[in-house]
Amino acid sequence: MLIHKWRDSEINQMPQSGEIGKYSIPKGYVNATQMCHANNKSWGHYKERKSTKAYWTALSNDIGIPISSLVIEVDGYGSSQGTWIYPEIAIDLAQWVSVEFRIWANRTLMKVMLSTQVEPVKQQESPHTLAPSHEAAQLAMMLGEFAGLDKSLTAQLAVNAATRVNPALKPAADELKIAIAQTNVAEDAFLNPTQIGEVVGMSARAVNHCLLNSGLQYRTDDKKIPYRPTESGKQWGRMVPAVAKSSNQTVFQLRWLPEIVKVISQ
């Protein structure tokens, strides 16, 4: 155990990974309880701050180590009992305590941090374990391929599935979906009801009504995707991704091969 002196108090730090009773404490960890007592501060006050909780969460996500492994509470082992914390959290705690203690902590505690490779215990994971968002995307792709959807639509479904599991992916996912829609030049060969109507002399509403009566499409309860092709209509129609002008977001639309004009004109 490495013992540091701060004024008249002792603050312990682990120079190497070791055991305190039944607890495994990684090297570099510092006794936060002693840090607070040495400065007449309450660990609970620091722990319950919103900024502290936000910092712990961000740090945990950044380095991939659960908070329970960054902050280890040890009970009933003499002077070693208390809360042991990851080195970066120790520096954050020292900054909260006082400017003077922060300077001391940076110079004293960092010696151990820089001279030893701090390796906190990570949760063991199977090498084949996938992130939930990755699993969701893979499942969507499998289902899309099984259903015979085109590659761009399958990719859109995979992106949507991953975003539902991990909402933090949404900004990047939106950009990806827009890129897929904008770069898929094959979609230019398909016509929407307005374009079909310009050829046959009908309004878009009349075209949709004609496609319904012909059994080529059916109406859904989804406002974002109001129409889908029937089994008969799939030989001419397909769901394609497009960028909505009003929101600049990717939407799916039912569009048709130019040959549909002959069907409607019959």
Side-chain angles (χ1 to χ4, degrees):
M1 186 72 66
L2 182 61
I3 300 176
H4 300 296
K5 285 288 187 178
W6 164 250
R7 296 178 178 171
D8 297 326
S9 300
E10 294 182 353
I11 297 175
N12 294 339
Q13 185 177 21
M14 296 292 290
Q16 298 293 334
S17 297
E19 303 289 328
I20 299 178
K22 62 181 180 180
Y23 302 93
S24 296
I25 310 298
K27 54 187 174 183
Y29 274 48
V30 186
N31 191 313
T33 305
Q34 292 175 336
M35 291 177 67
C36 292
H37 286 173
N39 292 276
N40 296 317
K41 295 284 186 176
S42 169
W43 164 254
H45 289 168
Y46 166 79
K47 177 181 178 180
E48 296 303 322
R49 296 167 70 235
K50 290 184 179 179
S51 59
T52 296
K53 295 179 179 179
Y55 170 62
W56 288 2
T57 299
L59 180 62
S60 175
N61 291 335
D62 181 63
I63 61 181
I65 300 170
I67 294 176
S68 60
S69 293
L70 296 176
V71 180
I72 303 173
E73 296 183 355
V74 176
D75 296 323
Y77 291 95
S79 60
S80 297
Q81 67 180 340
T83 301
W84 290 80
I85 55 177
Y86 183 71
E88 290 185 37
I89 295 180
I91 297 300
D92 185 67
L93 172 61
Q95 179 179 352
W96 172 75
V97 168
S98 69
V99 174
E100 294 82 2
F101 191 55
R102 175 187 180 185
I103 295 173
W104 175 87
N106 274 320
R107 292 175 178 173
T108 306
L109 302 180
M110 283 301 294
K111 291 180 181 179
V112 176
M113 299 175 201
L114 296 176
S115 63
T116 60
Q117 183 182 0
V118 180
E119 298 179 348
V121 178
K122 293 187 178 181
Q123 290 181 327
Q124 293 185 347
E125 294 183 358
S126 166
H128 301 294
T129 298
L130 299 176
S133 57
H134 191 177
E135 285 187 329
Q138 282 197 342
L139 178 60
M141 292 184 68
M142 290 174 59
L143 293 175
E145 292 174 359
F146 178 78
L149 301 178
D150 66 280
K151 292 183 179 180
S152 63
L153 180 55
T154 300
Q156 295 276 355
L157 295 176
V159 172
N160 289 340
T163 306
R164 289 192 191 96
V165 175
N166 185 358
L169 298 174
K170 189 176 187 305
D174 286 342
E175 292 183 9
L176 179 59
K177 288 191 291 184
I178 290 173
I180 293 173
Q182 290 176 333
T183 58
N184 193 349
V185 296
E187 310 303 350
D188 294 340
F190 290 80
L191 305 177
N192 61 33
T194 299
Q195 294 167 324
I196 296 172
E198 291 174 352
V199 177
V200 299
M202 295 183 181
S203 66
R205 184 175 182 179
V207 170
N208 277 323
H209 186 70
C210 183
L211 291 169
L212 284 170
N213 289 340
S214 300
L216 299 177
Q217 72 177 13
Y218 65 93
R219 187 184 296 276
T220 74
D221 294 327
D222 188 345
K223 293 181 179 180
K224 295 182 179 179
I225 309 177
Y227 298 102
R228 290 185 181 274
T230 62
E231 287 300 319
S232 299
K234 287 181 180 179
Q235 59 182 311
W236 294 288
R238 66 185 289 188
M239 303 301 301
V240 301
V243 179
K245 296 180 180 180
S246 59
S247 62
N248 199 35
Q249 293 184 348
T250 302
V251 296
F252 293 106
Q253 297 178 348
L254 174 54
R255 294 190 180 182
W256 303 88
L257 286 170
E259 288 81 357
I260 196 67
V261 172
K262 299 178 182 179
V263 179
I264 292 180
S265 300
Q266 291 178 354

